Amino acid sequence: MAQDATGTTTRRAWRAEAWATLALAWPIALTNLSQHALALTDAVILGHLSTEALAAATLAANLYWAAMAAPLGTALAATPILAQARGAGRLPGGRGWLRQMRHGARSALWASLALLLPSLLLLWFAEPLLLALGQEAGLAALAGTYLRTFMWGLIPFCGFIVLRGFLAAMERPAPALWIALAGIGLNLPLCWLLVFGAFGWPGLGMAGAGIAGTLVNLLMLLGLLGLVARDRGLGRVRILGRFWRPDGGRLREALRIGLPISGSMLLEIGVFSAAAIAMGWFGAVAVAAHAVALQTAGMTFMVPLGIGQAATARVGLFAGAREHAAAARAGWVAIGLGAGFMAAMALLLVAAAAPIARAFTGAGDAHSAAAAALGAALLTIAGLFQLADGAQAVAAGALRGLKDTRVPMLLAALGYWGIGMPVGLLLAGPAGLGPEGLWIGLAAGLGVVAALVLRRWWRLSGDSVDQGAISRA
């Protein structure tokens, strides 16, 4: 009878955690989807401008995400820092957690701003950099034009990410969702107007898409700041209180946690950016097809990424409160949810690859049919690695909740660059598989990263019920 009661209690705890994770994850996932939809909107609009514009925007986007990895990683460090600070408030004598959260958010912002300057310099010189990497002169020029107007949105975007991490730690993700949805609604007409022109307004082409993105990012940050300040529960943290006074100790912690996150992001973003560069060797059609597959796979990836961010908050909350078994349970629940969603997405991408690819290309473009056909082939390969991609994203998020970021970065280096990219280049070139071979290599690298990151979470979570290994991670 006692065993039955224990089993019932355990099942209830797992169900309760699943509902709590879903309640936190779905607004975060929708926020991620809405942010990705901003880039997707630009890709679709520019794809209807020309295949060359879509290819240039793809090159620009890959360089943009690679350049922003450092400031974005430190901005993402806000979530585990703030979640553990809030969890520590549950401990006996755990007063002062509001002040700790304020200091943590402020330090993440300072760390992010410190790393923005080299990123902006890199993006300003995008055209000569792309030329040095062997890209066509026309594509490099278009990408450089786009980035010189879009790069300024990096500053408000990083601020938005820190605020979103604060809301996740407080388990109040809805304000970021409403602001992000409003950003999509604004970006679509604004981007179309500035790219093509209307009502006597001249079209600005690539530069217009960049201007629209920067304005939307700025308005999203201002809107979220306003919502946080007006909310009685959130406003009491005074998230930007004495922002001009950085805390040296907290700043070092933000860098210690955030820089490996930046490294992991740079390794993953970099491998897909390098793949885009390699696609450029096969011509504009291959780059455009790569854009189709990458944008679609990136859209599905936003959901497990959101579940992983929820796992960071939930695991961090329990780890801060020294509830080690609950932290382990939170991580495994999130991994299961992410894997289940991505299994469904794998079936969808494989079954609907052709119509999805056709939606990205304009009917009047001479190269659109070839780009759509190759895009469908790449989407089929993307569908096959959905499960691995989702599992590694959620497991990495759970590990971040423990402030465990250095080892996952090393595992990403091995999987993406030790296996994924070399295998992809060998298959694409010597083996003669072309663009499809490159994507098969990327899928293999993702599978290795997923296996290694899951193994690390298995070890830490398995040991957590004995002597609190989670607290030592």
Side-chain angles (χ1 to χ4, degrees):
M1 186 68 72
Q3 290 181 344
D4 291 343
T6 301
T8 300
T9 302
T10 301
R11 287 192 295 272
R12 286 176 178 172
W14 283 83
R15 281 197 299 268
E17 181 57 40
W19 284 113
T21 300
L22 284 172
L24 181 58
W26 77 261
I28 297 176
L30 286 178
T31 303
N32 289 336
L33 283 167
S34 63
Q35 289 171 345
H36 188 74
L38 296 176
L40 186 63
T41 299
D42 288 355
V44 171
I45 290 175
L46 291 172
H48 285 78
L49 183 64
S50 70
T51 297
E52 288 74 16
L54 175 58
T58 302
L59 293 175
N62 280 278
L63 187 57
Y64 176 87
W65 283 101
M68 76 178 301
L72 182 58
T74 49
L76 288 170
T79 304
I81 292 172
L82 300 181
Q84 288 208 17
R86 183 171 174 239
R90 298 182 174 187
L91 296 172
R95 293 175 294 180
W97 63 275
L98 289 174
R99 178 173 56 83
Q100 296 301 320
M101 290 191 75
R102 181 165 59 250
H103 287 183
R106 187 169 65 196
S107 298
L109 278 170
W110 272 109
S112 184
L113 291 173
L115 296 171
L116 270 171
L117 182 58
S119 298
L120 294 175
L121 285 172
L122 177 66
L123 294 175
W124 184 261
F125 294 102
E127 182 179 353
L129 177 59
L130 290 171
L131 287 173
L133 292 171
Q135 300 306 299
E136 296 176 9
L139 294 181
L142 287 173
T145 299
Y146 175 64
L147 284 172
R148 285 199 173 190
T149 54
F150 188 53
M151 57 184 263
W152 304 109
L154 256 177
I155 301 171
F157 179 73
C158 287
F160 181 88
I161 293 299
V162 171
L163 286 177
R164 194 186 67 176
F166 162 67
L167 293 171
M170 295 292 289
E171 297 182 283
R172 294 279 304 279
L177 172 61
W178 308 136
I179 293 297
L181 291 176
I184 294 177
L186 176 62
N187 186 66
L188 178 60
L190 185 60
C191 185
W192 187 275
L193 172 65
L194 292 178
V195 169
F196 293 104
F199 310 111
W201 184 276
L204 300 177
M206 300 291 293
I211 293 170
T214 292
L215 289 175
V216 168
N217 276 318
L218 176 60
L219 292 173
M220 286 171 59
L221 173 61
L222 295 176
L224 192 55
L225 280 171
L227 287 181
V228 168
R230 291 184 59 183
D231 186 280
R232 180 176 300 177
L234 300 174
R236 62 181 177 150
V237 179
R238 294 187 294 115
I239 194 70
L240 292 182
R242 297 185 177 182
F243 174 71
W244 59 91
R245 294 179 58 185
D247 181 320
R250 290 286 181 176
L251 184 58
R252 286 190 294 273
E253 182 186 30
L255 290 171
R256 178 179 61 82
I257 297 170
L259 285 177
I261 297 176
S262 299
S264 296
M265 292 180 60
L266 186 58
L267 290 164
E268 183 172 4
I269 293 169
V271 80
F272 283 100
S273 298
I277 299 298
M279 286 294 180
W281 303 336
F282 296 96
V285 168
V287 176
H290 179 73
V292 170
L294 191 60
Q295 290 284 356
T296 306
M299 181 69 82
T300 62
F301 178 72
M302 293 299 105
V303 174
L305 180 62
I307 296 172
Q309 290 163 342
T312 300
R314 294 291 297 172
V315 171
L317 181 68
F318 291 124
R322 300 178 186 174
E323 299 175 22
H324 308 305
R329 181 169 56 242
W332 283 118
V333 164
I335 290 169
L337 292 172
F341 175 82
M342 289 302 262
M345 290 301 99
L347 295 175
L348 175 63
L349 290 189
V350 172
I356 292 172
R358 286 195 297 268
F360 279 83
T361 55
D365 194 308
H367 302 294
S368 62
L374 181 55
L378 299 183
L379 270 175
T380 301
I381 299 170
L384 299 177
F385 68 68
Q386 290 287 287
L387 186 60
D389 204 13
Q392 66 86 19
V394 181
L399 289 169
R400 288 175 189 173
L402 310 178
K403 300 182 180 178
D404 179 46
T405 56
R406 187 181 64 86
V407 171
M409 177 188 69
L410 299 176
L411 299 179
L414 173 63
Y416 295 137
W417 290 96
I419 296 174
M421 197 62 190
V423 170
L425 290 174
L426 285 172
L427 293 176
L433 297 181
E436 292 97 328
L438 192 58
W439 269 70
I440 291 171
L442 296 178
L446 278 169
V448 170
V449 173
L452 293 175
V453 173
L454 282 169
R455 180 177 180 275
R456 179 159 180 83
W457 173 255
W458 176 279
R459 183 177 68 80
L460 292 181
S461 64
D463 290 346
S464 69
V465 295
D466 177 29
Q467 306 301 322
I470 278 182
S471 64
R472 301 193 302 269

